[in-house]
Amino acid sequence: MGPLVPDIISANLNYIAALLIGVLFGMILEQAGFSSTKKLVGLFYGYDFTVLRVFFTAGVTAMLGVIALEHFGLLDLSLVYINPTFIWSAMAGGLIMGLGFVLGGFCPGTSVCAAAIGKIDAMVFIIGALLGVLLFAETYPAWEHLYKAGSWGSPRIFETLGISQSLFAFLLAAVALSAFWAVSIIENKVNGVKEAPVRFTPYYLALASAGLLMAVSSFAFTPRKESILKAAEAPGFAQAYKLDMMTPDEFAYRLMNDREDRLRIMDFRPEAEHAGLDLPKSSSFTMDNLFEKETSKALLIRGRINVFAAEDELTERKMAIIAARLGYKRIKILKGGLKEFREQILNFKPAKTASAFDRDNTYRFREKARRELPALLKNSKPAGPAVHKAKRILGGC
Amino acid sequence: MEEKKYMNSYLAGFLLGLLLLATIFITGRGLGASGALKSFTVAAMDTVAPAHTGSAVFYKEYAGEHSGGPLKNWLVFEVLGVLIGAFISGLVSDRLGLKFEKGPSATNKMRIAGALSGGLLWGVGSQLGRGCTSGAALSGMAVMSTGGIITMGFIFAGAYAVAYFFRKLWI
């Protein structure tokens, strides 16, 4: 499903979406009070923590929403823009912006809001910001080293910290809730309000329980991959799972007779372990490919016979179970894996004590397959790795 | 008509969070603001000094990343939307009007100098830090980006570290 751009919403329609999103963004910021420096800088002097409340509520809501959408397979995070981490420029830039916040009283987004309702100081701020970008652009060679130093790629914070996604989300939500409580106390002290900052009124109770519920939900929405893998890896589960099987004989037959071009093989062997056995009509798949919106599209084409192949049947089973869990139907696995295919077909040796039936039917086919297949396999041109074509969306500022 | 009260902070935050979530779901990217300032600056320089933007590293890198010209940019459209949305909101809540806002003990000169230099610092800082409060901090938090969260921490740390020295501006 998501992101809807570029498959469902085209690049040009995306600009219209940007405008509409911007309208809502502007409305919410203005309604929250972000068009006034008095409300914004209150955060730094303790008399008004609106910014912290709005900002953290929004961040936690969106974060939990992203986690939930990913959990239900509605959002492919490998396509979503994750801000890259350049450790030194992130810290230096942050400090400069912090100083700018106290001096200017706005941040870029809020200054646009304030200017829209006629705040002259915000217009001055925007002129300053444009000059600042110009200054950076003109002196870029001097910054370039710092700008590009310390690149960590695009890690997620829980990976950096080495904790689970759920735990981090819970901790952040818990920190936000505690902060809301703490700042209410500070606010009332600074403003000389005698009333207790947090009271047991329905409003606060509802707020607290909604917050707690959201925080705890982070444990319910485990990362999709993790929970599916856990199920597939459970002892005995994969062996007992009922899957559509294709016998080596049928597999060989289909390889030799596929005039309608229906057979597609998803080869789950690591490329280094192909050991001279390249399969025609195959593309190299990895488990990660199954989770990717773009590559897994190959599994959805109607009329195809999709066979999962790996050296051993257990690997095939696990992959097929993952695919089934992800909602892909009509997936077959090669019975006994490629190991058995090699033994029974490619290196076929008739047993001495075979029934007349076996000799007349099965054996005759296998002899034929053994003769014909090597040439076919030799000339086979596997499609190579299933390429992850869709690129991450370019975002950021 | 009197100015209407602002929205409840938690409700506003929740709505903003839903909007950000919808943005990520629809477009695969978060909200932003400073990127639009960059686009405007580059567009202005392209018009004023095309020879210069053709040779300086910053503009060349920018052109390499943004095909179709600096103004055909997602954030430019989004920020135009912000202008419209904030104006509508101001209209509805009766907050429109030319106003010059400053702290009770600050002079006009102080406020102008502060706004100009504050803006300047944001311009530089948001370029260096690859995003501002919306693009790096808020959107970064939503997708749990390490870089975004670090930038957020340092914006607030930086602000708290110097807030005391500039209190004359605000209180």
Side-chain angles (χ1 to χ4, degrees):
Chain A
M1 271 294 272
L4 303 185
V5 173
D7 289 348
I8 297 171
I9 290 182
S10 73
N12 281 330
L13 186 56
N14 195 9
Y15 291 119
I16 310 284
L19 192 73
L20 294 176
I21 288 167
V23 169
L24 292 172
F25 189 28
M27 280 180 168
I28 297 171
L29 288 181
E30 209 287 325
Q31 282 297 319
F34 284 13
S35 54
S36 159
T37 47
K38 279 182 188 147
K39 270 197 124 45
L40 291 166
V41 296
L43 170 70
F44 306 121
Y45 298 100
Y47 63 83
D48 191 335
F49 282 97
T50 304
V51 173
L52 182 126
R53 292 195 183 96
V54 175
F55 188 84
F56 266 111
T57 311
V60 169
T61 305
M63 174 187 72
L64 291 173
V66 167
I67 291 176
L69 287 181
E70 199 270 341
H71 172 81
F72 292 114
L74 294 170
L75 183 65
D76 183 353
L77 271 184
S78 69
L79 299 180
V80 170
Y81 177 77
I82 311 275
N83 312 52
T85 305
F86 290 80
I87 184 69
W88 301 116
S89 61
M91 297 199 302
L95 288 177
I96 294 172
M97 288 187 264
L99 178 61
F101 212 153
V102 172
L103 274 174
F106 289 113
C107 59
T110 52
S111 69
V112 173
C113 269
I117 64 158
K119 293 274 166 73
I120 296 161
D121 47 326
M123 298 173 196
V124 176
F125 179 95
I126 293 176
I127 293 169
L130 292 170
L131 291 175
V133 177
L134 184 65
L135 179 69
F136 183 82
E138 294 304 321
T139 53
Y140 181 62
W143 299 99
E144 198 173 358
H145 179 69
L146 176 64
Y147 184 67
K148 288 178 178 164
S151 170
W152 290 2
S154 294
R156 320 274 310 275
I157 183 79
F158 52 88
E159 293 164 357
T160 309
L161 296 174
I163 58 177
S164 76
Q165 176 185 287
S166 307
L167 181 62
F168 178 80
F170 174 77
L171 288 177
L172 189 72
V175 166
L177 286 176
S178 328
F180 296 155
W181 181 54
V183 298
S184 297
I185 299 174
I186 298 172
E187 220 171 53
N188 284 10
K189 255 203 185 128
V190 171
N191 295 332
V193 178
K194 284 276 146 30
E195 213 176 4
V198 175
R199 300 170 298 282
F200 288 101
T201 57
Y203 171 73
Y204 283 101
L205 287 176
L207 217 56
S209 34
L212 277 175
L213 208 66
M214 280 169 76
V216 172
S217 74
S218 63
F219 289 108
F221 301 131
T222 47
R224 185 167 163 82
K225 201 160 160 181
E226 210 170 90
S227 50
I228 290 176
L229 287 191
K230 213 168 146 193
E233 293 287 346
F237 181 77
Q239 285 87 339
Y241 199 93
K242 203 176 160 331
L243 289 161
D244 270 348
M245 305 272 245
M246 185 179 269
T247 61
D249 289 312
E250 188 189 346
F251 189 64
Y253 179 79
R254 288 201 183 276
L255 278 177
M256 294 188 296
N257 307 282
D258 188 24
R259 274 182 222 106
E260 290 168 34
D261 193 28
R262 295 176 65 196
L263 183 70
R264 284 295 178 278
I265 302 165
M266 280 74 203
D267 190 342
F268 283 93
R269 293 173 301 170
E271 285 209 71
E273 290 169 28
H274 280 203
L277 181 59
D278 277 327
L279 299 162
K281 301 178 184 227
S282 74
S283 38
S284 193
F285 252 67
T286 61
M287 186 188 67
D288 288 335
N289 289 148
L290 292 176
F291 289 91
E292 289 160 2
K293 190 173 151 189
E294 202 61 25
T295 42
S296 56
K297 269 183 194 160
L299 299 173
L300 291 173
I301 301 170
R302 281 184 177 277
R304 288 263 173 88
I305 301 169
N306 293 315
V307 183
F308 279 17
E311 200 54 39
D312 57 312
E313 193 185 300
L314 187 62
T315 311
E316 292 173 353
R317 281 184 163 274
K318 282 179 185 164
M319 295 305 145
I321 291 170
I322 292 169
R325 285 284 159 105
L326 290 170
Y328 299 107
K329 294 188 182 100
R330 299 186 303 275
I331 295 214
K332 289 176 182 263
I333 62 167
L334 175 60
K335 192 164 184 278
L338 288 167
K339 210 170 97 197
E340 191 143 330
F341 175 68
R342 213 180 266 126
E343 270 166 29
Q344 287 198 4
I345 310 285
L346 297 179
N347 306 323
F348 173 64
K349 283 192 192 68
K352 289 196 179 89
T353 54
S355 67
F357 178 83
D358 275 348
R359 216 168 290 141
D360 286 351
N361 298 287
T362 318
Y363 281 21
R364 211 175 59 196
F365 171 72
R366 288 187 186 173
E367 283 287 0
K368 182 172 174 253
R370 187 174 63 94
R371 278 195 314 274
E372 287 181 11
L373 271 176
L376 195 73
L377 295 177
K378 214 177 153 195
N379 295 329
S380 75
K381 289 189 190 73
V387 194
H388 191 41
K389 252 183 280 167
K391 269 196 268 162
R392 245 180 221 288
I393 287 147
L394 189 72
C397 282
Chain B
M1 206 160 82
E2 208 175 303
E3 271 187 25
K4 288 209 182 92
K5 270 177 76 178
Y6 292 119
M7 192 189 272
N8 176 295
S9 323
Y10 300 112
L11 178 61
F14 184 64
L15 292 178
L16 183 55
L18 290 184
L19 176 68
L20 177 54
L21 179 62
T23 308
I24 293 171
F25 179 71
I26 295 168
T27 69
R29 51 161 305 146
L31 300 164
S34 59
L37 299 178
K38 177 157 84 178
S39 297
F40 287 127
T41 309
V42 172
M45 285 306 282
D46 272 344
T47 322
V48 177
H52 174 62
T53 55
S55 61
V57 193
F58 181 84
Y59 301 101
K60 274 203 276 186
E61 281 187 13
Y62 182 88
E65 285 165 25
H66 303 77
S67 53
L71 290 183
K72 200 179 176 191
N73 177 294
W74 197 89
L75 285 171
V76 168
F77 283 84
E78 187 233 47
V79 164
L80 287 179
V82 171
L83 271 173
I84 299 168
F87 182 82
I88 295 171
S89 164
L91 188 69
V92 169
S93 298
D94 227 18
R95 281 192 283 266
L96 291 183
L98 288 178
K99 253 186 233 156
F100 186 78
E101 207 177 36
K102 58 183 175 64
S105 48
T107 62
N108 285 359
K109 260 190 198 155
M110 273 164 75
R111 179 65 190 119
I112 288 179
L116 203 62
S117 55
L120 196 86
L121 287 166
W122 271 105
V124 173
S126 64
Q127 291 315 304
L128 189 59
R130 294 177 173 76
C132 57
T133 343
S134 2
L138 186 60
S139 305
M141 181 156 51
V143 294
M144 295 200 249
S145 143
T146 303
I149 291 173
I150 290 174
T151 306
M152 171 180 82
F154 276 82
I155 291 176
F156 288 110
Y160 274 107
V162 298
Y164 178 80
F165 306 104
F166 295 105
R167 63 191 183 283
K168 264 278 178 60
L169 272 172
W170 306 110
I171 51 176

